[in-house]
Amino acid sequence: MAMQLTIRYETLLKRATGVATQTLEIAEPCDVREVVKQLAEEVGDSVRPMLLDSSGQLQRSLLLFVNDQQIVGDMQCTVTDGDDVTLMTPISGG
Amino acid sequence: MTEHLPLTDEERAVYEWQIWVDDFREAGQEKLKGASVLISRVGGLGSVVAYELAAAGVGTLVLAHAGNVKPSDLNRQLLMTHDWLGKPRVESAARRLRELNPRLNIVAVGENVSEDNAASLVEQVDLIVDCAPLFEERFAMNRQAVQQRKPLVECAMFDLEASITTMMSGKTPCLACLTPEKPAAWTREFPVFGAVSGTVGCIAAMEAIKVLADFGQPLTGQLLAFDLRDMTFSKRSISRNPSCSVCSGLDDSCST
């Protein structure tokens, strides 16, 4: 049976995608970075560069959370059915 | 961390309502009187941070902000006024803060934080509140905060969203752990309401007060993110990056 994740977009990503949340089906548990790459295939050309760099790797500036825990550097994190993945572009003051 | 300075009778009268806070009391007020805070830019965020810290009785505020007041500042930069258009922002801020609190010691610097002045600005204070829009100046300030082991309250906003965390050098993530590089999509000017920068500015001021007076639980190792469009508030755990280019060499525990 397919597994379902909740994807949350915040800040510039929310504005660019036009949605706050979506569900994503995955076939089996996988590393959260694979989830982001799967999303990058769906979001369209204007949003994809906010997720992936020109070599297809996650943007270093992207803030990534699984169940409200940040995933940084080379930290591994396998996501599975019911997990919550939040993607956020850093923001500033002004 | 901060020096205790005895209160005068006038100060006891002014700060009476907050001295009634059980875990703050007069000892907390004495710590605020002896404390100094750098506010990097007194714009939409920094105006409110400065106003609340001045009202709370922090002894010294170092304000760093370049440029003159523009019409587009006035929806959110609450220390700027219409009659000050075209005049230096930092002077407008100092003038308004002195009206509120004539006891306040203000160091007004008509420059933004940069690689050239970050070290000397950070040296002057006990704590920094980052309210700046440019990642370059935020990164310069973060490096100095980490090197000089000064607490840094990081706050930001966009549209109706905002986020804030309190960073303790060597104990929590630093800004470079959270944001190792400037996001490609970021632009210098962006949509925001003054009520959004004001909300996160008030929270930032409360974070500074808690750290300086050593009470409550600051947002250390946590990022509070909220969206005032639907009033969603989330508190998330953030982690030090073991390969962070700025703080990974520090030998404190890497856990948050």
Side-chain angles (χ1 to χ4, degrees), chain A residues 10-12 14-15 60-61 63 65 68-70 72 86 89-94, chain B residues 44-45 131-133 135 138 156-157 161 178 180-181 185-186 227 236-239:
Chain A
E10 296 191 349
T11 65
L12 282 77
K14 185 191 291 187
R15 196 172 199 230
R60 291 185 69 220
S61 60
L63 288 165
F65 299 87
D68 288 340
Q69 170 69 54
Q70 189 189 10
V72 293
T86 300
T89 303
I91 53 177
S92 269
Chain B
L45 275 171
C131 305
F135 281 84
R138 297 173 67 200
M157 78 276 193
E161 294 178 71
L178 197 63
E181 63 185 35
W186 182 250
D227 188 346
R236 304 195 176 114
S237 297
I238 53 177
S239 305

PDB file of all heavy atoms in Angstrom, chain A residues 10-12 14-15 60-61 63 65 68-70 72 86 89-94, chain B residues 44-45 131-133 135 138 156-157 161 178 180-181 185-186 227 236-239:
ATOM      1  N   GLU A  10       6.623  26.800   3.201  1.00  0.00           N
ATOM      2  CA  GLU A  10       6.586  28.042   3.964  1.00  0.00           C
ATOM      3  C   GLU A  10       7.395  29.128   3.271  1.00  0.00           C
ATOM      4  O   GLU A  10       8.242  28.863   2.434  1.00  0.00           O
ATOM      5  CB  GLU A  10       7.113  27.804   5.391  1.00  0.00           C
ATOM      6  CG  GLU A  10       6.208  26.847   6.151  1.00  0.00           C
ATOM      7  CD  GLU A  10       6.498  26.764   7.638  1.00  0.00           C
ATOM      8  OE1 GLU A  10       7.531  27.291   8.073  1.00  0.00           O
ATOM      9  OE2 GLU A  10       5.671  26.159   8.346  1.00  0.00           O
ATOM     10  N   THR A  11       7.130  30.363   3.659  1.00  0.00           N
ATOM     11  CA  THR A  11       7.774  31.594   3.174  1.00  0.00           C
ATOM     12  C   THR A  11       7.750  31.670   1.638  1.00  0.00           C
ATOM     13  O   THR A  11       6.696  31.545   1.039  1.00  0.00           O
ATOM     14  CB  THR A  11       9.208  31.751   3.770  1.00  0.00           C
ATOM     15  OG1 THR A  11      10.059  30.712   3.299  1.00  0.00           O
ATOM     16  CG2 THR A  11       9.162  31.734   5.276  1.00  0.00           C
ATOM     17  N   LEU A  12       8.907  31.862   1.010  1.00  0.00           N
ATOM     18  CA  LEU A  12       8.909  32.088  -0.438  1.00  0.00           C
ATOM     19  C   LEU A  12       8.392  30.878  -1.201  1.00  0.00           C
ATOM     20  O   LEU A  12       7.828  31.014  -2.288  1.00  0.00           O
ATOM     21  CB  LEU A  12      10.323  32.444  -0.927  1.00  0.00           C
ATOM     22  CG  LEU A  12      10.775  33.879  -0.670  1.00  0.00           C
ATOM     23  CD1 LEU A  12      11.175  34.104   0.766  1.00  0.00           C
ATOM     24  CD2 LEU A  12      11.945  34.239  -1.582  1.00  0.00           C
ATOM     25  N   LYS A  14       5.982  28.882  -0.218  1.00  0.00           N
ATOM     26  CA  LYS A  14       4.513  28.899  -0.175  1.00  0.00           C
ATOM     27  C   LYS A  14       3.982  29.841  -1.246  1.00  0.00           C
ATOM     28  O   LYS A  14       3.023  29.544  -1.955  1.00  0.00           O
ATOM     29  CB  LYS A  14       4.030  29.333   1.210  1.00  0.00           C
ATOM     30  CG  LYS A  14       2.514  29.257   1.366  1.00  0.00           C
ATOM     31  CD  LYS A  14       2.008  29.927   2.622  1.00  0.00           C
ATOM     32  CE  LYS A  14       2.411  29.193   3.869  1.00  0.00           C
ATOM     33  NZ  LYS A  14       1.773  29.748   5.091  1.00  0.00           N
ATOM     34  N   ARG A  15       4.642  31.001  -1.344  1.00  0.00           N
ATOM     35  CA  ARG A  15       4.185  31.980  -2.335  1.00  0.00           C
ATOM     36  C   ARG A  15       4.393  31.457  -3.763  1.00  0.00           C
ATOM     37  O   ARG A  15       3.549  31.619  -4.634  1.00  0.00           O
ATOM     38  CB  ARG A  15       4.970  33.272  -2.137  1.00  0.00           C
ATOM     39  CG  ARG A  15       4.355  34.460  -2.826  1.00  0.00           C
ATOM     40  CD  ARG A  15       5.080  35.721  -2.408  1.00  0.00           C
ATOM     41  NE  ARG A  15       4.280  36.900  -2.668  1.00  0.00           N
ATOM     42  CZ  ARG A  15       4.730  37.976  -3.312  1.00  0.00           C
ATOM     43  NH1 ARG A  15       5.957  38.012  -3.758  1.00  0.00           N
ATOM     44  NH2 ARG A  15       3.950  39.015  -3.488  1.00  0.00           N
ATOM     45  N   ARG A  60      21.597  24.337  -0.657  1.00  0.00           N
ATOM     46  CA  ARG A  60      22.168  24.383   0.700  1.00  0.00           C
ATOM     47  C   ARG A  60      21.398  25.326   1.610  1.00  0.00           C
ATOM     48  O   ARG A  60      21.437  25.197   2.826  1.00  0.00           O
ATOM     49  CB  ARG A  60      23.641  24.803   0.636  1.00  0.00           C
ATOM     50  CG  ARG A  60      24.537  23.752   0.001  1.00  0.00           C
ATOM     51  CD  ARG A  60      25.987  24.184   0.075  1.00  0.00           C
ATOM     52  NE  ARG A  60      26.485  24.166   1.440  1.00  0.00           N
ATOM     53  CZ  ARG A  60      27.286  25.086   1.957  1.00  0.00           C
ATOM     54  NH1 ARG A  60      27.656  26.115   1.235  1.00  0.00           N
ATOM     55  NH2 ARG A  60      27.693  24.989   3.198  1.00  0.00           N
ATOM     56  N   SER A  61      20.724  26.303   1.000  1.00  0.00           N
ATOM     57  CA  SER A  61      19.997  27.274   1.822  1.00  0.00           C
ATOM     58  C   SER A  61      18.624  26.760   2.267  1.00  0.00           C
ATOM     59  O   SER A  61      17.992  27.358   3.131  1.00  0.00           O
ATOM     60  CB  SER A  61      19.821  28.583   1.054  1.00  0.00           C
ATOM     61  OG  SER A  61      19.088  28.356  -0.128  1.00  0.00           O
ATOM     62  N   LEU A  63      15.708  25.126   4.145  1.00  0.00           N
ATOM     63  CA  LEU A  63      15.458  24.620   5.502  1.00  0.00           C
ATOM     64  C   LEU A  63      14.488  23.453   5.404  1.00  0.00           C
ATOM     65  O   LEU A  63      13.396  23.587   4.843  1.00  0.00           O
ATOM     66  CB  LEU A  63      14.868  25.723   6.378  1.00  0.00           C
ATOM     67  CG  LEU A  63      15.843  26.832   6.792  1.00  0.00           C
ATOM     68  CD1 LEU A  63      15.090  28.037   7.327  1.00  0.00           C
ATOM     69  CD2 LEU A  63      16.803  26.311   7.834  1.00  0.00           C
ATOM     70  N   PHE A  65      12.621  20.207   7.444  1.00  0.00           N
ATOM     71  CA  PHE A  65      12.215  19.650   8.738  1.00  0.00           C
ATOM     72  C   PHE A  65      11.389  18.385   8.514  1.00  0.00           C
ATOM     73  O   PHE A  65      10.551  18.349   7.600  1.00  0.00           O
ATOM     74  CB  PHE A  65      11.351  20.638   9.524  1.00  0.00           C
ATOM     75  CG  PHE A  65      12.025  21.941   9.852  1.00  0.00           C
ATOM     76  CD1 PHE A  65      11.993  23.000   8.951  1.00  0.00           C
ATOM     77  CD2 PHE A  65      12.703  22.112  11.049  1.00  0.00           C
ATOM     78  CE1 PHE A  65      12.608  24.207   9.250  1.00  0.00           C
ATOM     79  CE2 PHE A  65      13.329  23.313  11.357  1.00  0.00           C
ATOM     80  CZ  PHE A  65      13.279  24.366  10.446  1.00  0.00           C
ATOM     81  N   ASP A  68       8.917  18.389  12.524  1.00  0.00           N
ATOM     82  CA  ASP A  68       9.400  19.539  13.304  1.00  0.00           C
ATOM     83  C   ASP A  68      10.826  19.392  13.822  1.00  0.00           C
ATOM     84  O   ASP A  68      11.245  20.111  14.722  1.00  0.00           O
ATOM     85  CB  ASP A  68       8.445  19.871  14.465  1.00  0.00           C
ATOM     86  CG  ASP A  68       7.150  20.506  13.975  1.00  0.00           C
ATOM     87  OD1 ASP A  68       7.142  21.026  12.837  1.00  0.00           O
ATOM     88  OD2 ASP A  68       6.158  20.481  14.718  1.00  0.00           O
ATOM     89  N   GLN A  69      11.601  18.482  13.263  1.00  0.00           N
ATOM     90  CA  GLN A  69      13.031  18.352  13.590  1.00  0.00           C
ATOM     91  C   GLN A  69      13.830  18.713  12.333  1.00  0.00           C
ATOM     92  O   GLN A  69      13.614  18.126  11.260  1.00  0.00           O
ATOM     93  CB  GLN A  69      13.355  16.923  14.025  1.00  0.00           C
ATOM     94  CG  GLN A  69      14.843  16.624  14.159  1.00  0.00           C
ATOM     95  CD  GLN A  69      15.491  17.346  15.333  1.00  0.00           C
ATOM     96  OE1 GLN A  69      15.044  17.242  16.464  1.00  0.00           O
ATOM     97  NE2 GLN A  69      16.550  18.113  15.055  1.00  0.00           N
ATOM     98  N   GLN A  70      14.768  19.659  12.472  1.00  0.00           N
ATOM     99  CA  GLN A  70      15.538  20.078  11.307  1.00  0.00           C
ATOM    100  C   GLN A  70      16.513  18.985  10.864  1.00  0.00           C
ATOM    101  O   GLN A  70      17.134  18.313  11.687  1.00  0.00           O
ATOM    102  CB  GLN A  70      16.332  21.358  11.618  1.00  0.00           C
ATOM    103  CG  GLN A  70      16.980  21.952  10.370  1.00  0.00           C
ATOM    104  CD  GLN A  70      17.940  23.081  10.677  1.00  0.00           C
ATOM    105  OE1 GLN A  70      18.282  23.317  11.833  1.00  0.00           O
ATOM    106  NE2 GLN A  70      18.374  23.773   9.646  1.00  0.00           N
ATOM    107  N   VAL A  72      19.931  18.637   8.946  1.00  0.00           N
ATOM    108  CA  VAL A  72      21.036  19.493   8.499  1.00  0.00           C
ATOM    109  C   VAL A  72      22.191  18.660   7.973  1.00  0.00           C
ATOM    110  O   VAL A  72      22.357  17.489   8.332  1.00  0.00           O
ATOM    111  CB  VAL A  72      21.568  20.387   9.646  1.00  0.00           C
ATOM    112  CG1 VAL A  72      20.539  21.402  10.077  1.00  0.00           C
ATOM    113  CG2 VAL A  72      22.051  19.565  10.817  1.00  0.00           C
ATOM    114  N   THR A  86       8.466  19.655   6.181  1.00  0.00           N
ATOM    115  CA  THR A  86       8.310  21.097   5.979  1.00  0.00           C
ATOM    116  C   THR A  86       9.507  21.640   5.208  1.00  0.00           C
ATOM    117  O   THR A  86      10.658  21.350   5.543  1.00  0.00           O
ATOM    118  CB  THR A  86       8.199  21.827   7.334  1.00  0.00           C
ATOM    119  OG1 THR A  86       7.066  21.333   8.036  1.00  0.00           O
ATOM    120  CG2 THR A  86       8.051  23.328   7.138  1.00  0.00           C
ATOM    121  N   THR A  89      12.176  28.437   2.767  1.00  0.00           N
ATOM    122  CA  THR A  89      13.291  29.253   2.292  1.00  0.00           C
ATOM    123  C   THR A  89      13.632  30.278   3.373  1.00  0.00           C
ATOM    124  O   THR A  89      12.723  30.901   3.919  1.00  0.00           O
ATOM    125  CB  THR A  89      12.894  29.983   0.990  1.00  0.00           C
ATOM    126  OG1 THR A  89      12.486  29.013   0.029  1.00  0.00           O
ATOM    127  CG2 THR A  89      14.047  30.783   0.434  1.00  0.00           C
ATOM    128  N   PRO A  90      14.917  30.451   3.712  1.00  0.00           N
ATOM    129  CA  PRO A  90      15.263  31.426   4.755  1.00  0.00           C
ATOM    130  C   PRO A  90      14.766  32.826   4.404  1.00  0.00           C
ATOM    131  O   PRO A  90      14.727  33.206   3.235  1.00  0.00           O
ATOM    132  CB  PRO A  90      16.797  31.399   4.770  1.00  0.00           C
ATOM    133  CG  PRO A  90      17.163  30.098   4.170  1.00  0.00           C
ATOM    134  CD  PRO A  90      16.099  29.780   3.168  1.00  0.00           C
ATOM    135  N   ILE A  91      14.413  33.569   5.448  1.00  0.00           N
ATOM    136  CA  ILE A  91      13.953  34.948   5.283  1.00  0.00           C
ATOM    137  C   ILE A  91      14.803  35.869   6.153  1.00  0.00           C
ATOM    138  O   ILE A  91      15.676  35.398   6.867  1.00  0.00           O
ATOM    139  CB  ILE A  91      12.445  35.075   5.613  1.00  0.00           C
ATOM    140  CG1 ILE A  91      12.128  34.505   7.003  1.00  0.00           C
ATOM    141  CG2 ILE A  91      11.616  34.378   4.538  1.00  0.00           C
ATOM    142  CD1 ILE A  91      10.679  34.647   7.428  1.00  0.00           C
ATOM    143  N   SER A  92      14.541  37.170   6.076  1.00  0.00           N
ATOM    144  CA  SER A  92      15.374  38.160   6.766  1.00  0.00           C
ATOM    145  C   SER A  92      14.513  39.229   7.422  1.00  0.00           C
ATOM    146  O   SER A  92      13.292  39.212   7.304  1.00  0.00           O
ATOM    147  CB  SER A  92      16.300  38.844   5.760  1.00  0.00           C
ATOM    148  OG  SER A  92      17.521  38.173   5.662  1.00  0.00           O
ATOM    149  N   GLY A  93      15.200  40.197   8.025  1.00  0.00           N
ATOM    150  CA  GLY A  93      14.508  41.360   8.577  1.00  0.00           C
ATOM    151  C   GLY A  93      14.427  42.478   7.557  1.00  0.00           C
ATOM    152  O   GLY A  93      14.653  42.274   6.373  1.00  0.00           O
ATOM    153  N   GLY A  94      14.097  43.654   8.040  1.00  0.00           N
ATOM    154  CA  GLY A  94      14.035  44.779   7.106  1.00  0.00           C
ATOM    155  C   GLY A  94      13.152  45.897   7.619  1.00  0.00           C
ATOM    156  O   GLY A  94      12.444  45.742   8.586  1.00  0.00           O
TER     157      GLY A  94
ATOM    158  N   GLY B  44      11.650  47.840  10.299  1.00  0.00           N
ATOM    159  CA  GLY B  44      10.371  47.286  10.721  1.00  0.00           C
ATOM    160  C   GLY B  44      10.492  46.436  11.965  1.00  0.00           C
ATOM    161  O   GLY B  44       9.698  46.550  12.908  1.00  0.00           O
ATOM    162  N   LEU B  45      11.483  45.578  11.989  1.00  0.00           N
ATOM    163  CA  LEU B  45      11.714  44.730  13.161  1.00  0.00           C
ATOM    164  C   LEU B  45      12.419  45.496  14.272  1.00  0.00           C
ATOM    165  O   LEU B  45      11.973  45.532  15.409  1.00  0.00           O
ATOM    166  CB  LEU B  45      12.619  43.557  12.769  1.00  0.00           C
ATOM    167  CG  LEU B  45      11.990  42.329  12.166  1.00  0.00           C
ATOM    168  CD1 LEU B  45      13.070  41.396  11.648  1.00  0.00           C
ATOM    169  CD2 LEU B  45      11.174  41.645  13.231  1.00  0.00           C
ATOM    170  N   CYS B 131      18.136  42.293  13.015  1.00  0.00           N
ATOM    171  CA  CYS B 131      16.901  42.713  12.340  1.00  0.00           C
ATOM    172  C   CYS B 131      17.212  43.160  10.919  1.00  0.00           C
ATOM    173  O   CYS B 131      16.457  43.952  10.338  1.00  0.00           O
ATOM    174  CB  CYS B 131      16.259  43.858  13.111  1.00  0.00           C
ATOM    175  SG  CYS B 131      15.960  43.488  14.852  1.00  0.00           S
ATOM    176  N   ALA B 132      18.330  42.702  10.358  1.00  0.00           N
ATOM    177  CA  ALA B 132      18.826  43.216   9.077  1.00  0.00           C
ATOM    178  C   ALA B 132      18.290  42.411   7.892  1.00  0.00           C
ATOM    179  O   ALA B 132      18.039  41.215   8.013  1.00  0.00           O
ATOM    180  CB  ALA B 132      20.347  43.173   9.075  1.00  0.00           C
ATOM    181  N   PRO B 133      18.149  43.060   6.738  1.00  0.00           N
ATOM    182  CA  PRO B 133      17.590  42.368   5.574  1.00  0.00           C
ATOM    183  C   PRO B 133      18.628  41.629   4.719  1.00  0.00           C
ATOM    184  O   PRO B 133      18.259  40.712   3.995  1.00  0.00           O
ATOM    185  CB  PRO B 133      16.969  43.515   4.764  1.00  0.00           C
ATOM    186  CG  PRO B 133      17.809  44.697   5.111  1.00  0.00           C
ATOM    187  CD  PRO B 133      18.269  44.498   6.524  1.00  0.00           C
ATOM    188  N   PHE B 135      21.690  39.208   3.798  1.00  0.00           N
ATOM    189  CA  PHE B 135      22.365  38.033   4.357  1.00  0.00           C
ATOM    190  C   PHE B 135      23.845  38.314   4.608  1.00  0.00           C
ATOM    191  O   PHE B 135      24.422  37.806   5.570  1.00  0.00           O
ATOM    192  CB  PHE B 135      22.171  36.815   3.448  1.00  0.00           C
ATOM    193  CG  PHE B 135      20.822  36.182   3.621  1.00  0.00           C
ATOM    194  CD1 PHE B 135      19.717  36.662   2.937  1.00  0.00           C
ATOM    195  CD2 PHE B 135      20.632  35.131   4.502  1.00  0.00           C
ATOM    196  CE1 PHE B 135      18.452  36.097   3.119  1.00  0.00           C
ATOM    197  CE2 PHE B 135      19.387  34.568   4.700  1.00  0.00           C
ATOM    198  CZ  PHE B 135      18.294  35.048   3.998  1.00  0.00           C
ATOM    199  N   ARG B 138      24.208  39.923   7.942  1.00  0.00           N
ATOM    200  CA  ARG B 138      23.824  38.970   8.986  1.00  0.00           C
ATOM    201  C   ARG B 138      24.941  37.938   9.201  1.00  0.00           C
ATOM    202  O   ARG B 138      25.244  37.557  10.332  1.00  0.00           O
ATOM    203  CB  ARG B 138      22.519  38.276   8.592  1.00  0.00           C
ATOM    204  CG  ARG B 138      21.349  39.244   8.480  1.00  0.00           C
ATOM    205  CD  ARG B 138      20.128  38.567   7.940  1.00  0.00           C
ATOM    206  NE  ARG B 138      19.592  37.582   8.866  1.00  0.00           N
ATOM    207  CZ  ARG B 138      18.775  36.586   8.517  1.00  0.00           C
ATOM    208  NH1 ARG B 138      18.420  36.441   7.256  1.00  0.00           N
ATOM    209  NH2 ARG B 138      18.320  35.763   9.420  1.00  0.00           N
ATOM    210  N   ALA B 156      13.104  37.310  11.606  1.00  0.00           N
ATOM    211  CA  ALA B 156      12.910  37.546  10.177  1.00  0.00           C
ATOM    212  C   ALA B 156      11.429  37.507   9.850  1.00  0.00           C
ATOM    213  O   ALA B 156      10.626  36.939  10.597  1.00  0.00           O
ATOM    214  CB  ALA B 156      13.646  36.465   9.375  1.00  0.00           C
ATOM    215  N   MET B 157      11.080  38.125   8.699  1.00  0.00           N
ATOM    216  CA  MET B 157       9.662  38.119   8.309  1.00  0.00           C
ATOM    217  C   MET B 157       9.535  38.139   6.797  1.00  0.00           C
ATOM    218  O   MET B 157      10.445  38.555   6.075  1.00  0.00           O
ATOM    219  CB  MET B 157       8.902  39.286   8.956  1.00  0.00           C
ATOM    220  CG  MET B 157       9.101  40.625   8.298  1.00  0.00           C
ATOM    221  SD  MET B 157      10.579  41.485   8.857  1.00  0.00           S
ATOM    222  CE  MET B 157      10.281  43.130   8.216  1.00  0.00           C
ATOM    223  N   GLU B 161       4.266  35.966   7.338  1.00  0.00           N
ATOM    224  CA  GLU B 161       5.013  34.946   8.083  1.00  0.00           C
ATOM    225  C   GLU B 161       6.216  35.561   8.796  1.00  0.00           C
ATOM    226  O   GLU B 161       6.739  36.588   8.375  1.00  0.00           O
ATOM    227  CB  GLU B 161       5.504  33.860   7.132  1.00  0.00           C
ATOM    228  CG  GLU B 161       4.386  33.037   6.512  1.00  0.00           C
ATOM    229  CD  GLU B 161       4.923  32.009   5.545  1.00  0.00           C
ATOM    230  OE1 GLU B 161       5.530  31.035   6.001  1.00  0.00           O
ATOM    231  OE2 GLU B 161       4.757  32.202   4.328  1.00  0.00           O
ATOM    232  N   LEU B 178      22.009  27.279  10.368  1.00  0.00           N
ATOM    233  CA  LEU B 178      20.623  27.347   9.919  1.00  0.00           C
ATOM    234  C   LEU B 178      20.548  27.701   8.437  1.00  0.00           C
ATOM    235  O   LEU B 178      19.758  27.132   7.688  1.00  0.00           O
ATOM    236  CB  LEU B 178      19.906  28.419  10.752  1.00  0.00           C
ATOM    237  CG  LEU B 178      18.392  28.425  10.777  1.00  0.00           C
ATOM    238  CD1 LEU B 178      17.863  27.138  11.401  1.00  0.00           C
ATOM    239  CD2 LEU B 178      17.883  29.625  11.572  1.00  0.00           C
ATOM    240  N   PRO B 180      23.383  28.208   5.612  1.00  0.00           N
ATOM    241  CA  PRO B 180      24.802  28.262   5.252  1.00  0.00           C
ATOM    242  C   PRO B 180      25.111  29.222   4.105  1.00  0.00           C
ATOM    243  O   PRO B 180      26.252  29.669   3.971  1.00  0.00           O
ATOM    244  CB  PRO B 180      25.137  26.826   4.861  1.00  0.00           C
ATOM    245  CG  PRO B 180      23.841  26.137   4.668  1.00  0.00           C
ATOM    246  CD  PRO B 180      22.789  26.878   5.417  1.00  0.00           C
ATOM    247  N   GLU B 181      24.113  29.520   3.299  1.00  0.00           N
ATOM    248  CA  GLU B 181      24.364  30.483   2.231  1.00  0.00           C
ATOM    249  C   GLU B 181      23.082  31.247   1.904  1.00  0.00           C
ATOM    250  O   GLU B 181      21.982  30.831   2.265  1.00  0.00           O
ATOM    251  CB  GLU B 181      24.910  29.808   0.978  1.00  0.00           C
ATOM    252  CG  GLU B 181      23.969  28.823   0.352  1.00  0.00           C
ATOM    253  CD  GLU B 181      24.621  28.079  -0.829  1.00  0.00           C
ATOM    254  OE1 GLU B 181      25.832  27.811  -0.758  1.00  0.00           O
ATOM    255  OE2 GLU B 181      23.894  27.781  -1.787  1.00  0.00           O
ATOM    256  N   ALA B 185      16.699  32.858  -4.220  1.00  0.00           N
ATOM    257  CA  ALA B 185      15.437  33.525  -4.539  1.00  0.00           C
ATOM    258  C   ALA B 185      15.181  34.776  -3.699  1.00  0.00           C
ATOM    259  O   ALA B 185      14.201  35.477  -3.920  1.00  0.00           O
ATOM    260  CB  ALA B 185      14.276  32.545  -4.337  1.00  0.00           C
ATOM    261  N   TRP B 186      16.072  35.078  -2.727  1.00  0.00           N
ATOM    262  CA  TRP B 186      15.804  36.194  -1.814  1.00  0.00           C
ATOM    263  C   TRP B 186      15.982  37.535  -2.521  1.00  0.00           C
ATOM    264  O   TRP B 186      16.909  37.723  -3.292  1.00  0.00           O
ATOM    265  CB  TRP B 186      16.746  36.131  -0.616  1.00  0.00           C
ATOM    266  CG  TRP B 186      16.501  37.222   0.377  1.00  0.00           C
ATOM    267  CD1 TRP B 186      17.304  38.294   0.639  1.00  0.00           C
ATOM    268  CD2 TRP B 186      15.346  37.368   1.212  1.00  0.00           C
ATOM    269  NE1 TRP B 186      16.720  39.070   1.583  1.00  0.00           N
ATOM    270  CE2 TRP B 186      15.520  38.545   1.956  1.00  0.00           C
ATOM    271  CE3 TRP B 186      14.188  36.616   1.390  1.00  0.00           C
ATOM    272  CZ2 TRP B 186      14.583  38.985   2.875  1.00  0.00           C
ATOM    273  CZ3 TRP B 186      13.255  37.038   2.305  1.00  0.00           C
ATOM    274  CH2 TRP B 186      13.457  38.213   3.030  1.00  0.00           C
ATOM    275  N   ASP B 227       2.537  32.041  10.920  1.00  0.00           N
ATOM    276  CA  ASP B 227       1.874  32.663   9.767  1.00  0.00           C
ATOM    277  C   ASP B 227       0.623  33.356  10.295  1.00  0.00           C
ATOM    278  O   ASP B 227      -0.330  32.697  10.722  1.00  0.00           O
ATOM    279  CB  ASP B 227       1.515  31.595   8.729  1.00  0.00           C
ATOM    280  CG  ASP B 227       0.994  32.219   7.440  1.00  0.00           C
ATOM    281  OD1 ASP B 227       0.656  33.420   7.439  1.00  0.00           O
ATOM    282  OD2 ASP B 227       0.921  31.492   6.430  1.00  0.00           O
ATOM    283  N   ARG B 236       9.900  24.446  16.261  1.00  0.00           N
ATOM    284  CA  ARG B 236      10.639  23.321  15.680  1.00  0.00           C
ATOM    285  C   ARG B 236      12.043  23.238  16.264  1.00  0.00           C
ATOM    286  O   ARG B 236      12.646  24.254  16.587  1.00  0.00           O
ATOM    287  CB  ARG B 236      10.742  23.502  14.166  1.00  0.00           C
ATOM    288  CG  ARG B 236       9.379  23.666  13.521  1.00  0.00           C
ATOM    289  CD  ARG B 236       9.447  23.489  12.019  1.00  0.00           C
ATOM    290  NE  ARG B 236       8.099  23.566  11.501  1.00  0.00           N
ATOM    291  CZ  ARG B 236       7.647  24.527  10.716  1.00  0.00           C
ATOM    292  NH1 ARG B 236       8.461  25.468  10.289  1.00  0.00           N
ATOM    293  NH2 ARG B 236       6.398  24.537  10.318  1.00  0.00           N
ATOM    294  N   SER B 237      12.553  22.028  16.355  1.00  0.00           N
ATOM    295  CA  SER B 237      13.921  21.827  16.826  1.00  0.00           C
ATOM    296  C   SER B 237      14.896  22.109  15.697  1.00  0.00           C
ATOM    297  O   SER B 237      14.709  21.612  14.577  1.00  0.00           O
ATOM    298  CB  SER B 237      14.108  20.386  17.304  1.00  0.00           C
ATOM    299  OG  SER B 237      13.260  20.142  18.402  1.00  0.00           O
ATOM    300  N   ILE B 238      15.933  22.884  15.987  1.00  0.00           N
ATOM    301  CA  ILE B 238      16.974  23.119  14.989  1.00  0.00           C
ATOM    302  C   ILE B 238      18.289  22.564  15.533  1.00  0.00           C
ATOM    303  O   ILE B 238      18.493  22.484  16.741  1.00  0.00           O
ATOM    304  CB  ILE B 238      17.099  24.613  14.610  1.00  0.00           C
ATOM    305  CG1 ILE B 238      17.276  25.501  15.844  1.00  0.00           C
ATOM    306  CG2 ILE B 238      15.867  25.050  13.832  1.00  0.00           C
ATOM    307  CD1 ILE B 238      17.476  26.977  15.511  1.00  0.00           C
ATOM    308  N   SER B 239      19.171  22.183  14.613  1.00  0.00           N
ATOM    309  CA  SER B 239      20.365  21.420  14.999  1.00  0.00           C
ATOM    310  C   SER B 239      21.630  22.103  14.527  1.00  0.00           C
ATOM    311  O   SER B 239      21.664  22.701  13.444  1.00  0.00           O
ATOM    312  CB  SER B 239      20.308  20.020  14.365  1.00  0.00           C
ATOM    313  OG  SER B 239      19.111  19.369  14.711  1.00  0.00           O
TER     314      SER B 239
END
